[in-house]
Amino acid sequence: MALRHAVLAALLDRELSGYQLAKAFDLGVANFWHALPQQVYAELTRLEQDGLIAGRDVVQDTRPTKRLFHVTDAGLAALDRFAAAGSKASFLRDDLVVKVQAADHVDAGPLIEQLTERAAHARAKLEHFEELLRTMRGDRTEEEFLRHGERIGPYLTCLGGIAFEQGNRDWCERTLAVLEERQARRARS
Amino acid sequence: MALRHAVLAALLDRELSGYQLAKAFDLGVANFWHALPQQVYAELTRLEQDGLIAGRDVVQDTRPTKRLFHVTDAGLAALDRFAAAGSKASFLRDDLVVKVQAADHVDAGPLIEQLTERAAHARAKLEHFEELLRTMRGDRTEEEFLRHGERIGPYLTCLGGIAFEQGNRDWCERTLAVLEERQARRARS
DNA sequence: CCGCTCATGTAACAGGTTACATGATTTA
DNA sequence: TAAATCATGTAACCTGTTACATGAGCGG
């Protein structure tokens, strides 16, 4: 039941439509969770039924009518209970890691390709996150912002995304270097 | 269909029983994937039916009879196809991150507790992984081992685990520092 | 006029989690 | 004698993914 609380957390800052939320969860914008649009819409329906969020229709002239949601007091209480309850460790679950585990028994070519892609993707996300951080803290320094800012949650999760992607990038680069060196050596012999 | 290939990858090094595999996937030993015992047993059944692994019964006098599995040629071919196919980026999906996203709206006490736990867990895993690396490379240096070792896949995934857990640990410590400083300041005022 | 964005879903399926079951042997 | 380890599963459930559907406006 974590998507539920991820949606609540995403609605803390401002009212959002299902569409906006779906985009945020589909791409890496809401870097703290990932979900497909279908899941988001379904979860919004359930959340409203349970009274944890409330929606209001906003009629637009050129665009279709949308429904903006906000967190209710009951929703806030649910979030608080969720935050207080224990959570188990999260695991790394990544196809590419499985492939590297089998690296000695499979063709290294595609592996190198995928690791290169992944490293590039990690670098792109890092840039994006850094940009987000700059926007959030404005003209304040990071220390200043984290000490006195009144909404630091998204900043901290963004730092989490950066830590994750740095690990990703560094590992990809290291693994690439090893696999490429071995492949080059095999080609020479 | 990644558990399938994770099991194949785990069986590359040596024959294992369902029980041994289950333990490896349940705890963090097989640091490249996580799965519950029930999943592992079910997957082994399917893999054997599909001819990607083969098992032999080993009768023991004191212990129950166990079944040791090894990868077949068909299994190896399947792994190779899997490694060549594209894989999408993996996402960070972690309850604790959702909680931190909501940090400004929920009680910081439990958050601090959970972050402390998580940091300790990350440190423990790091030590465990470092130990594993030392065992795998023996008296060789890392460079030496990665250049000339004949089974480097597990070493590389272990490096991945280390990169992941370092990110985890650093982020937990940073977030802890911020939340604790803010909580202390609130208490004083 | 074709594809993209806005806006919202349904249905079927695959994969992961929780709960439960069995039974012998070794260790504290 | 109670708990942990070895050894293997079944059944129900929850969550996530893939495929498909609808319809209006806007930009090239």
Side-chain angles (χ1 to χ4, degrees):
Chain A
M1 286 252 235
L3 169 59
R4 166 153 270 238
H5 302 100
V7 170
L8 287 174
L11 287 173
L12 284 174
D13 295 297
R14 61 198 182 294
E15 283 191 318
L16 290 170
S17 66
Y19 185 78
Q20 288 175 293
L21 271 169
K23 252 201 340 181
F25 279 95
D26 194 26
L27 308 166
V29 183
N31 59 299
F32 67 98
W33 199 264
H34 172 262
L36 299 169
Q38 300 94 312
Q39 271 179 287
V40 174
Y41 283 113
E43 197 60 55
L44 284 171
T45 306
R46 263 170 277 156
L47 278 166
E48 195 175 19
Q49 272 169 11
D50 297 350
L52 305 190
I53 60 173
R56 61 184 183 94
D57 286 319
V58 176
V59 183
Q60 302 170 112
D61 30 294
T62 72
R63 297 283 176 204
T65 297
K66 65 181 170 186
R67 207 166 156 68
L68 292 181
F69 295 96
H70 65 265
V71 181
T72 62
D73 289 345
L76 228 97
L79 243 189
D80 197 59
R81 280 195 305 279
F82 170 69
S87 47
K88 346 161 176 120
S90 70
F91 293 101
L92 196 53
R93 214 175 241 165
D94 184 344
D95 283 11
L96 190 47
V97 180
V98 174
K99 293 172 187 179
V100 169
Q101 173 83 15
D104 308 288
H105 297 268
V106 299
D107 186 7
L111 276 190
I112 287 171
E113 223 173 284
Q114 290 174 64
L115 283 162
T116 307
E117 255 175 66
R118 180 67 67 90
H121 185 253
R123 277 189 292 268
K125 280 202 119 181
L126 279 171
E127 267 183 55
H128 176 238
F129 287 153
E130 297 285 3
E131 176 65 33
L132 271 180
L133 290 186
R134 275 193 295 274
T135 305
M136 281 190 268
R137 70 172 173 256
D139 48 8
R140 286 163 289 189
T141 65
E142 181 163 300
E143 276 312 301
E144 183 31 35
F145 174 76
L146 287 174
R147 237 185 269 272
H148 305 294
E150 74 287 327
R151 183 80 179 103
I152 59 163
Y155 198 97
L156 290 170
T157 57
C158 199
L159 285 178
I162 287 180
F164 178 70
E165 293 297 347
Q166 275 174 348
N168 239 312
R169 180 201 56 192
D170 293 349
W171 178 71
C172 285
E173 285 172 358
R174 174 77 170 124
T175 303
L176 266 173
V178 171
L179 293 183
E180 277 172 341
E181 194 272 344
R182 288 171 71 104
Q183 205 185 37
R185 197 141 37 70
R186 272 190 58 205
R188 276 199 304 276
S189 67
Chain B
M1 285 253 236
L3 170 59
R4 170 153 264 241
H5 303 100
V7 169
L8 286 175
L11 287 173
L12 284 175
D13 295 295
R14 59 197 183 294
E15 283 191 319
L16 290 171
S17 66
Y19 185 79
Q20 289 174 293
L21 271 170
K23 253 200 340 181
F25 278 95
D26 195 25
L27 308 167
V29 183
N31 58 298
F32 67 98
W33 199 265
H34 171 261
L36 299 169
Q38 300 93 310
Q39 273 179 282
V40 175
Y41 282 114
E43 198 58 56
L44 284 171
T45 306
R46 262 170 279 156
L47 278 166
E48 196 175 17
Q49 270 169 10
D50 297 348
L52 305 189
I53 60 172
R56 60 185 183 93
D57 286 319
V58 176
V59 183
Q60 302 170 111
D61 30 294
T62 73
R63 295 286 174 199
T65 297
K66 65 181 169 187
R67 204 163 159 71
L68 292 182
F69 295 95
H70 65 265
V71 181
T72 63
D73 289 344
L76 227 93
L79 244 189
D80 197 57
R81 280 194 305 278
F82 170 69
S87 47
K88 339 150 185 126
S90 69
F91 293 100
L92 195 54
R93 214 174 241 164
D94 186 342
D95 283 10
L96 191 46
V97 180
V98 175
K99 294 173 186 178
V100 169
Q101 172 84 13
D104 309 288
H105 298 268
V106 300
D107 186 7
L111 276 191
I112 287 170
E113 224 173 284
Q114 290 174 63
L115 284 162
T116 308
E117 256 175 66
R118 180 67 67 89
H121 185 253
R123 277 189 292 268
K125 279 203 120 178
L126 279 171
E127 268 184 54
H128 176 238
F129 287 153
E130 297 284 3
E131 176 66 34
L132 270 180
L133 289 186
R134 275 193 295 274
T135 306
M136 281 190 269
R137 69 172 173 257
D139 48 8
R140 285 164 290 189
T141 66
E142 182 163 299
E143 275 312 302
E144 185 27 40
F145 174 76
L146 287 174
R147 237 186 269 272
H148 305 294
E150 75 287 327
R151 184 78 179 106
I152 60 164
Y155 197 96
L156 290 170
T157 57
C158 198
L159 285 178
I162 286 180
F164 178 70
E165 293 298 345
Q166 275 174 348
N168 239 314
R169 180 201 57 192
D170 293 348
W171 177 71
C172 285
E173 284 172 358
R174 174 79 170 123
T175 303
L176 266 172
V178 171
L179 293 183
E180 278 172 341
E181 194 271 345
R182 286 171 75 102
Q183 205 185 38
R185 197 144 34 73
R186 274 191 57 203
R188 276 199 302 277
S189 67

